[in-house]
Amino acid sequence: MVKYTDGMLKEDALKGKSILITGGGTGLGKSMGKYFLQLGANLIISSRKKEVLERTAEELRSETGGEVLPVVCDVRNFDQVSSVISSAEDAFGALNVVINNAAGNFISPTERLSNRAFDAIVDIVLKGTYNTTLAAGKSWIGKKQKGVFLNIVTTYAWTGSGYVVPSACAKAGVLALTRSLAVEWAEYGIRSNAIAPGPFPTEGAWSRLMPKEIADDLDPAKRIPLGRVGEHQELANLAAFLISDFSSYINGEVVTIDGGEWLKGAGQFSGFDVIPDHMWDLLEMARGKKK
Ligand code: HXC
Ligand code: NAP
């Protein structure tokens, strides 16, 4: 029987595609990259830390037998981003897909943040995404080549969220970029979509957003209607579909993968799941419900 932790697409579904994942050395970027390689893609992973990238590249090559090019690049720097795109084109003949995944985040009451702290997050998430998007888009349009962008946002891109305000502002900007270019660049055969994940445990996100001291009280699984956090393969399956030719008619979409988390927060009565059955019985009796 098929499990939700199985790979979803058929063998070779991404064969011949060269895919750049920013922040691809760790966490969700690494998990997506592994699956893309299993589906026949060539992979370029970039981030600031050379050792992390090289270790991941070696691990992924030996696990999948695929080709992985690690390139150091700070997404805040447009020249470095342009040079990653040239390196990908030189190594694989063309770049076909960009996954804007690199991010930074921390939890803090907003009034405690310095303006530089705000800059640190917005520069990585929003400026980093538009730098990569602009560099790849100019190259694709110049070469009359089709391409696909997939941007990793989060559900508070549209709800907003206290205590992660720089990230919320930046992810909202990335979502606006996704939808804007889905229309503007469609005539060049460039699709733009986004994924909004709920909680998927990773070292990077958990160490910063779920400090041990409060992890039990704030256990996200308790807030999620489906009662669990996400599995990396579930996200990798969705990402692989959205960059594959099977989704050729999907453009400008943001797909939420969060077990129902954000909607539960939005529904006025959704918190009533804490009411036990016997209490519902009492409430019905008090309201005089007929048997
Ligand atoms: C408040 C902080 C801070 C913190 C840094 N600053 N950390 N302020 N709380 N925890 C302030 C500093 O004091 C400084 O301001 C300014 O930010 C810049 O700090 P730097 O250390 O120079 O920044 P930088 O080296 O650019 O570091 C970026 C970083 C770091 C974001 C701070 O954590 C990082 O590189 N993270 C990458 C990985 C990551 O965050 N992954 C999680 C993504 S998860 P002053 O004024 O003092 O100079 C995610 C999940 C979303 O996005 C949804 C989850 C459900
Ligand atoms: P992660 O492992 O910390 O990934 C973040 C990556 O971004 C790291 O590899 C980091 O590498 C890279 N990065 C940070 N600053 C950079 C910069 N200036 N230039 C280039 N690369 C940079 O965290 P993750 O949980 O996998 O997050 C991946 C994506 O999913 C992010 O967009 C995040 O917002 C999103 N997301 C995650 C969750 C979740 O629950 N995990 C939920 C919603 C959304 P270096 O430090 O080497 O640069």
mmCIF file of all heavy atoms in Angstrom, residues 48 76 103-106 108 113-114 116-117 120-121 124 154 156 204-205 208-209, ligand 1:
data_model
loop_
_atom_site.group_PDB
_atom_site.id
_atom_site.type_symbol
_atom_site.label_atom_id
_atom_site.label_comp_id
_atom_site.label_asym_id
_atom_site.label_seq_id
_atom_site.Cartn_x
_atom_site.Cartn_y
_atom_site.Cartn_z
ATOM 1 N N ARG A 48 25.598 30.206 2.363
ATOM 2 C CA ARG A 48 26.818 30.909 2.771
ATOM 3 C C ARG A 48 27.920 29.978 3.236
ATOM 4 O O ARG A 48 29.086 30.336 3.221
ATOM 5 C CB ARG A 48 26.488 31.898 3.903
ATOM 6 C CG ARG A 48 25.559 33.013 3.489
ATOM 7 C CD ARG A 48 24.991 33.738 4.685
ATOM 8 N NE ARG A 48 24.228 32.843 5.537
ATOM 9 C CZ ARG A 48 23.658 33.177 6.677
ATOM 10 N NH1 ARG A 48 23.787 34.410 7.131
ATOM 11 N NH2 ARG A 48 22.964 32.307 7.381
ATOM 12 N N ARG A 76 21.922 37.842 -0.520
ATOM 13 C CA ARG A 76 21.763 39.297 -0.394
ATOM 14 C C ARG A 76 22.621 40.045 -1.414
ATOM 15 O O ARG A 76 22.461 41.251 -1.593
ATOM 16 C CB ARG A 76 22.150 39.739 1.027
ATOM 17 C CG ARG A 76 21.193 39.186 2.069
ATOM 18 C CD ARG A 76 21.678 39.431 3.474
ATOM 19 N NE ARG A 76 22.850 38.629 3.805
ATOM 20 C CZ ARG A 76 23.359 38.500 5.016
ATOM 21 N NH1 ARG A 76 22.808 39.133 6.027
ATOM 22 N NH2 ARG A 76 24.409 37.751 5.243
ATOM 23 N N ALA A 103 16.353 31.301 3.897
ATOM 24 C CA ALA A 103 15.603 32.184 4.793
ATOM 25 C C ALA A 103 16.350 32.363 6.095
ATOM 26 O O ALA A 103 17.251 31.603 6.436
ATOM 27 C CB ALA A 103 14.212 31.596 5.078
ATOM 28 N N GLY A 104 15.968 33.396 6.817
ATOM 29 C CA GLY A 104 16.432 33.612 8.181
ATOM 30 C C GLY A 104 15.229 34.028 8.993
ATOM 31 O O GLY A 104 14.270 34.594 8.449
ATOM 32 N N ASN A 105 15.273 33.740 10.285
ATOM 33 C CA ASN A 105 14.104 34.053 11.119
ATOM 34 C C ASN A 105 14.527 34.022 12.571
ATOM 35 O O ASN A 105 15.457 33.311 12.929
ATOM 36 C CB ASN A 105 13.016 32.996 10.885
ATOM 37 C CG ASN A 105 11.616 33.496 11.213
ATOM 38 O OD1 ASN A 105 11.442 34.581 11.759
ATOM 39 N ND2 ASN A 105 10.618 32.695 10.878
ATOM 40 N N PHE A 106 13.914 34.822 13.422
ATOM 41 C CA PHE A 106 13.997 34.614 14.858
ATOM 42 C C PHE A 106 12.740 35.141 15.508
ATOM 43 O O PHE A 106 12.019 35.944 14.934
ATOM 44 C CB PHE A 106 15.260 35.215 15.482
ATOM 45 C CG PHE A 106 15.665 36.559 14.948
ATOM 46 C CD1 PHE A 106 14.897 37.685 15.191
ATOM 47 C CD2 PHE A 106 16.838 36.692 14.216
ATOM 48 C CE1 PHE A 106 15.283 38.920 14.715
ATOM 49 C CE2 PHE A 106 17.232 37.930 13.734
ATOM 50 C CZ PHE A 106 16.450 39.047 13.977
ATOM 51 N N SER A 108 10.885 37.236 18.368
ATOM 52 C CA SER A 108 11.144 38.336 19.300
ATOM 53 C C SER A 108 9.971 39.301 19.301
ATOM 54 O O SER A 108 9.378 39.558 18.246
ATOM 55 C CB SER A 108 12.403 39.097 18.849
ATOM 56 O OG SER A 108 12.583 40.254 19.639
ATOM 57 N N LEU A 113 13.415 44.633 18.708
ATOM 58 C CA LEU A 113 14.310 44.482 17.553
ATOM 59 C C LEU A 113 14.967 45.807 17.177
ATOM 60 O O LEU A 113 14.311 46.854 17.209
ATOM 61 C CB LEU A 113 13.518 43.987 16.334
ATOM 62 C CG LEU A 113 12.904 42.602 16.424
ATOM 63 C CD1 LEU A 113 12.080 42.317 15.159
ATOM 64 C CD2 LEU A 113 13.996 41.546 16.598
ATOM 65 N N SER A 114 16.218 45.733 16.795
ATOM 66 C CA SER A 114 16.861 46.917 16.220
ATOM 67 C C SER A 114 16.486 46.985 14.736
ATOM 68 O O SER A 114 16.024 45.993 14.165
ATOM 69 C CB SER A 114 18.384 46.816 16.360
ATOM 70 O OG SER A 114 18.863 45.808 15.504
ATOM 71 N N ARG A 116 18.530 47.010 12.440
ATOM 72 C CA ARG A 116 19.436 46.079 11.747
ATOM 73 C C ARG A 116 18.920 44.639 11.830
ATOM 74 O O ARG A 116 19.148 43.843 10.921
ATOM 75 C CB ARG A 116 20.840 46.167 12.354
ATOM 76 C CG ARG A 116 21.617 47.394 11.872
ATOM 77 C CD ARG A 116 22.896 47.600 12.671
ATOM 78 N NE ARG A 116 23.589 46.344 12.938
ATOM 79 C CZ ARG A 116 24.437 45.750 12.094
ATOM 80 N NH1 ARG A 116 24.683 46.312 10.923
ATOM 81 N NH2 ARG A 116 25.029 44.635 12.435
ATOM 82 N N ALA A 117 18.254 44.312 12.927
ATOM 83 C CA ALA A 117 17.677 42.962 13.038
ATOM 84 C C ALA A 117 16.584 42.785 11.990
ATOM 85 O O ALA A 117 16.485 41.746 11.331
ATOM 86 C CB ALA A 117 17.112 42.750 14.443
ATOM 87 N N ALA A 120 18.190 42.268 8.720
ATOM 88 C CA ALA A 120 18.842 40.949 8.564
ATOM 89 C C ALA A 120 17.865 39.953 7.948
ATOM 90 O O ALA A 120 18.220 39.189 7.047
ATOM 91 C CB ALA A 120 19.355 40.446 9.918
ATOM 92 N N ILE A 121 16.624 39.984 8.412
ATOM 93 C CA ILE A 121 15.644 38.997 7.926
ATOM 94 C C ILE A 121 15.082 39.399 6.554
ATOM 95 O O ILE A 121 15.023 38.586 5.631
ATOM 96 C CB ILE A 121 14.487 38.852 8.954
ATOM 97 C CG1 ILE A 121 15.032 38.465 10.328
ATOM 98 C CG2 ILE A 121 13.445 37.852 8.457
ATOM 99 C CD1 ILE A 121 15.884 37.233 10.368
ATOM 100 N N ILE A 124 17.575 38.762 3.712
ATOM 101 C CA ILE A 124 17.738 37.363 3.273
ATOM 102 C C ILE A 124 16.490 36.918 2.509
ATOM 103 O O ILE A 124 16.572 36.385 1.395
ATOM 104 C CB ILE A 124 17.960 36.401 4.475
ATOM 105 C CG1 ILE A 124 19.211 36.762 5.265
ATOM 106 C CG2 ILE A 124 18.038 34.947 3.979
ATOM 107 C CD1 ILE A 124 19.373 36.002 6.584
ATOM 108 N N THR A 154 5.255 30.864 3.762
ATOM 109 C CA THR A 154 4.679 30.253 4.952
ATOM 110 C C THR A 154 3.274 30.824 5.103
ATOM 111 O O THR A 154 2.952 31.821 4.444
ATOM 112 C CB THR A 154 5.552 30.532 6.203
ATOM 113 O OG1 THR A 154 4.975 29.892 7.333
ATOM 114 C CG2 THR A 154 5.672 32.001 6.484
ATOM 115 N N TYR A 156 1.796 32.496 7.362
ATOM 116 C CA TYR A 156 1.617 33.857 7.885
ATOM 117 C C TYR A 156 2.012 34.922 6.850
ATOM 118 O O TYR A 156 1.987 36.115 7.143
ATOM 119 C CB TYR A 156 2.294 34.051 9.248
ATOM 120 C CG TYR A 156 3.784 33.807 9.354
ATOM 121 C CD1 TYR A 156 4.713 34.538 8.628
ATOM 122 C CD2 TYR A 156 4.272 32.856 10.254
ATOM 123 C CE1 TYR A 156 6.065 34.338 8.762
ATOM 124 C CE2 TYR A 156 5.632 32.630 10.388
ATOM 125 C CZ TYR A 156 6.532 33.385 9.639
ATOM 126 O OH TYR A 156 7.882 33.185 9.781
ATOM 127 N N GLY A 204 17.274 24.051 11.631
ATOM 128 C CA GLY A 204 17.329 25.512 11.478
ATOM 129 C C GLY A 204 16.111 26.213 12.054
ATOM 130 O O GLY A 204 16.234 27.182 12.808
ATOM 131 N N ALA A 205 14.926 25.714 11.735
ATOM 132 C CA ALA A 205 13.704 26.383 12.205
ATOM 133 C C ALA A 205 13.456 26.082 13.674
ATOM 134 O O ALA A 205 13.151 26.973 14.461
ATOM 135 C CB ALA A 205 12.513 25.946 11.363
ATOM 136 N N ARG A 208 15.591 27.879 16.343
ATOM 137 C CA ARG A 208 15.339 29.313 16.488
ATOM 138 C C ARG A 208 13.914 29.633 16.912
ATOM 139 O O ARG A 208 13.663 30.631 17.566
ATOM 140 C CB ARG A 208 15.602 30.023 15.159
ATOM 141 C CG ARG A 208 17.055 30.019 14.799
ATOM 142 C CD ARG A 208 17.290 30.680 13.464
ATOM 143 N NE ARG A 208 18.712 30.714 13.185
ATOM 144 C CZ ARG A 208 19.380 29.714 12.615
ATOM 145 N NH1 ARG A 208 18.768 28.615 12.271
ATOM 146 N NH2 ARG A 208 20.675 29.816 12.406
ATOM 147 N N LEU A 209 12.963 28.790 16.482
ATOM 148 C CA LEU A 209 11.555 29.160 16.674
ATOM 149 C C LEU A 209 10.865 28.348 17.756
ATOM 150 O O LEU A 209 9.768 28.684 18.182
ATOM 151 C CB LEU A 209 10.791 28.990 15.352
ATOM 152 C CG LEU A 209 11.380 29.755 14.172
ATOM 153 C CD1 LEU A 209 10.593 29.469 12.903
ATOM 154 C CD2 LEU A 209 11.403 31.245 14.444
HETATM 155 C C1 HXC B 1 16.792 39.617 18.055
HETATM 156 C C2 HXC B 1 18.637 39.409 16.673
HETATM 157 C C3 HXC B 1 18.633 37.987 16.862
HETATM 158 C C4 HXC B 1 17.618 37.427 17.715
HETATM 159 C C5 HXC B 1 20.275 38.508 15.523
HETATM 160 N N1 HXC B 1 19.674 39.664 15.854
HETATM 161 N N2 HXC B 1 19.660 37.478 16.131
HETATM 162 N N3 HXC B 1 17.732 40.213 17.266
HETATM 163 N N4 HXC B 1 16.729 38.281 18.289
HETATM 164 N N5 HXC B 1 17.539 36.122 17.930
HETATM 165 C C6 HXC B 1 20.065 40.998 15.417
HETATM 166 C C7 HXC B 1 21.506 41.307 15.799
HETATM 167 O O1 HXC B 1 21.586 41.793 17.134
HETATM 168 C C8 HXC B 1 21.887 42.390 14.783
HETATM 169 O O2 HXC B 1 21.382 43.647 15.157
HETATM 170 C C9 HXC B 1 21.086 41.984 13.539
HETATM 171 O O3 HXC B 1 20.061 41.088 13.983
HETATM 172 C C10 HXC B 1 21.955 41.258 12.543
HETATM 173 O O4 HXC B 1 22.591 40.165 13.216
HETATM 174 P P1 HXC B 1 23.670 39.252 12.506
HETATM 175 O O5 HXC B 1 24.037 38.145 13.431
HETATM 176 O O6 HXC B 1 24.744 40.120 11.918
HETATM 177 O O7 HXC B 1 22.803 38.692 11.265
HETATM 178 P P2 HXC B 1 23.158 37.585 10.243
HETATM 179 O O8 HXC B 1 24.541 37.077 10.381
HETATM 180 O O9 HXC B 1 22.718 38.118 8.941
HETATM 181 O O10 HXC B 1 22.227 36.394 10.757
HETATM 182 C C11 HXC B 1 21.029 36.161 10.213
HETATM 183 C C12 HXC B 1 20.130 35.447 11.221
HETATM 184 C C13 HXC B 1 20.592 33.995 11.500
HETATM 185 C C14 HXC B 1 18.745 35.452 10.638
HETATM 186 C C15 HXC B 1 20.190 36.268 12.462
HETATM 187 O O11 HXC B 1 19.705 33.377 12.413
HETATM 188 C C16 HXC B 1 20.647 33.130 10.285
HETATM 189 O O12 HXC B 1 21.576 33.210 9.493
HETATM 190 N N6 HXC B 1 19.636 32.268 10.076
HETATM 191 C C17 HXC B 1 19.547 31.386 8.865
HETATM 192 C C18 HXC B 1 18.798 30.141 9.150
HETATM 193 C C19 HXC B 1 17.405 30.346 9.720
HETATM 194 O O13 HXC B 1 17.118 31.349 10.385
HETATM 195 N N7 HXC B 1 16.537 29.362 9.443
HETATM 196 C C20 HXC B 1 15.204 29.358 9.890
HETATM 197 C C21 HXC B 1 14.291 29.563 8.756
HETATM 198 S S1 HXC B 1 12.743 28.965 9.350
HETATM 199 P P3 HXC B 1 22.310 44.773 15.933
HETATM 200 O O14 HXC B 1 21.433 45.978 16.005
HETATM 201 O O15 HXC B 1 22.616 44.179 17.269
HETATM 202 O O16 HXC B 1 23.537 44.976 15.084
HETATM 203 C C22 HXC B 1 11.449 29.847 8.898
HETATM 204 C C23 HXC B 1 10.167 29.182 9.345
HETATM 205 C C24 HXC B 1 8.961 29.991 9.152
HETATM 206 O O17 HXC B 1 11.548 30.855 8.285
HETATM 207 C C25 HXC B 1 7.690 29.367 9.696
HETATM 208 C C26 HXC B 1 7.792 28.388 10.797
HETATM 209 C C27 HXC B 1 6.487 27.668 11.145
#
